Amino acid sequence: MTQQNSPPDLTAYSILLRSCIRFRNFQLGKLVHRKLIQSGLELDSVVLNTLISLHSKCGDTETARSISEGMGNRRDLVSWSAMVSCFANNSMELQAICTFRVMLELGFLPERVLLYGCDSGLFERELLMGWGDNLRVCVENRLFWG
């Protein structure tokens, strides 16, 4: 693209970032993130959620949190789920629980993937402060997704 003097668009950046995540090339992903910022493009929620995932997977929870908070009212179920997973998978159980609770309070109901993805990170450690059994019941009865 750049060889043809055609700058990448958001779709191209999203594909590049997802490829970096898939192949666990986080250094390249961070370079793509820097180039994206330099591009001056207005980032949409798809790209922002992908950036949250990138920084989460490389353990940079502060950047992931900053991106999420910067989204403000543009945060959606994917954004909230990405942050819960980010904290749970980076041994920040209390932050995961707090984020999960805020997510629920704002009316975002988790999908099965989020609950199972966080199962080992949260339920095993039994840090859900009374939520563990309630969540298990919800999962078993499929109260979140009908």
Side-chain angles (χ1 to χ4, degrees):
M1 284 184 139
T2 56
Q3 290 176 349
Q4 298 172 351
N5 290 331
S6 175
D9 60 7
L10 288 179
T11 302
Y13 277 112
S14 182
I15 292 168
L16 285 169
L17 289 166
R18 287 183 186 162
S19 295
C20 292
I21 294 168
R22 183 172 184 198
F23 293 105
R24 306 192 63 75
N25 190 338
F26 304 126
Q27 290 301 92
L28 182 57
K30 288 181 178 185
L31 175 64
V32 171
H33 183 184
R34 283 193 297 275
K35 292 290 186 184
L36 176 59
I37 298 303
Q38 292 170 356
S39 75
L41 291 170
E42 185 174 339
L43 307 184
D44 62 15
S45 62
V46 173
V47 172
L48 290 167
N49 289 334
T50 304
L51 288 170
I52 291 171
S53 181
L54 169 75
H55 291 285
S56 168
K57 298 220 186 280
C58 65
D60 187 357
T61 57
E62 284 307 309
T63 300
R65 180 194 325 247
S66 175
I67 293 166
S68 174
E69 289 175 356
M71 292 176 75
N73 63 359
R74 292 189 297 165
R75 283 183 275 196
D76 56 16
L77 178 61
V78 175
S79 311
W80 285 103
S81 298
M83 284 311 302
V84 171
S85 296
C86 171
F87 293 134
N89 294 324
N90 284 287
S91 301
M92 299 174 70
E93 293 87 359
L94 186 57
Q95 285 295 336
I97 294 163
C98 291
T99 303
F100 183 77
R101 290 177 98 168
V102 170
M103 178 179 132
L104 291 177
E105 289 168 5
L106 291 173
F108 293 100
L109 299 179
E111 295 178 350
R112 183 181 318 202
V113 173
L114 171 65
L115 294 174
Y116 287 134
C118 293
D119 189 16
S120 61
L122 297 176
F123 295 144
E124 264 182 29
R125 294 179 183 89
E126 298 182 30
L127 291 176
L128 282 172
M129 297 179 267
W131 279 60
D133 290 333
N134 293 335
L135 286 176
R136 280 197 182 99
V137 168
C138 289
V139 169
E140 290 166 4
N141 294 319
R142 298 190 167 120
L143 295 179
F144 287 126
W145 45 84

